[in-house]
Amino acid sequence: MYEIFVEHCWTVFNRTMFQTESEHWCDWEHIFSIYSRFQHCLEYYAEDLQLPFPNELAHNTILGVHMYFFKDCDLLSEELMDPPENILLGLIFAPICIIPFLVSLVVYKSNTSKPQT
């Protein structure tokens, strides 16, 4: 019975994807709602039939979707950029400033504590 529902979810997803231009298939902003509806469809019917999710059939169907529609998508489609300079400097200098403070705190505590006998 679940196979019929999975086929229905696949058909709806497939039809919606082909209505979307193929150059947008790798753009998460365009695909997010379509993909989410597909996953919710699979999950809804599995829950309705009291099957675990993810299950083998749903997993294989999702894998088939990825192999067909998203096989040419790059994981790093956007070029990664450095953070702004003020944030980068703060991330660099914060640990540098904390280290001397921690060293002097350890030296101070070791000089003021009584030796244990």
Side-chain angles (χ1 to χ4, degrees):
M1 187 70 171
Y2 185 60
E3 293 86 6
I4 295 169
F5 293 126
V6 169
E7 185 67 32
H8 166 73
C9 297
W10 163 255
T11 303
V12 171
F13 177 80
N14 200 25
R15 184 177 342 112
T16 309
M17 283 298 287
F18 279 113
Q19 290 173 350
T20 305
E21 295 180 29
S22 60
E23 65 252 12
H24 295 302
W25 286 1
C26 293
D27 186 1
W28 184 243
E29 290 181 14
H30 283 89
I31 300 305
F32 174 74
S33 63
I34 300 168
Y35 190 84
S36 291
R37 278 181 279 167
F38 172 64
Q39 184 178 351
H40 290 303
C41 181
L42 294 173
E43 195 170 348
Y44 172 78
Y45 288 119
E47 187 177 295
D48 194 43
L49 295 172
Q50 297 179 347
L51 297 171
F53 186 85
N55 53 56
E56 186 176 353
L57 183 57
H59 173 76
N60 291 338
T61 305
I62 292 171
L63 190 61
V65 162
H66 282 262
M67 291 176 68
Y68 185 81
F69 289 104
F70 309 124
K71 65 181 175 191
D72 296 326
C73 295
D74 230 354
L75 286 178
L76 296 174
S77 58
E78 296 179 17
E79 186 176 326
L80 299 177
M81 298 176 59
D82 287 335
E85 190 173 312
N86 58 347
I87 293 175
L88 188 60
L89 290 174
L91 291 172
I92 292 171
F93 288 119
I96 293 172
C97 294
I98 291 174
I99 291 172
F101 171 74
L102 293 176
V103 169
S104 49
L105 183 63
V106 168
V107 169
Y108 174 75
K109 286 301 247 179
S110 65
N111 287 338
T112 59
S113 63
K114 293 181 181 179
Q116 294 179 354
T117 58

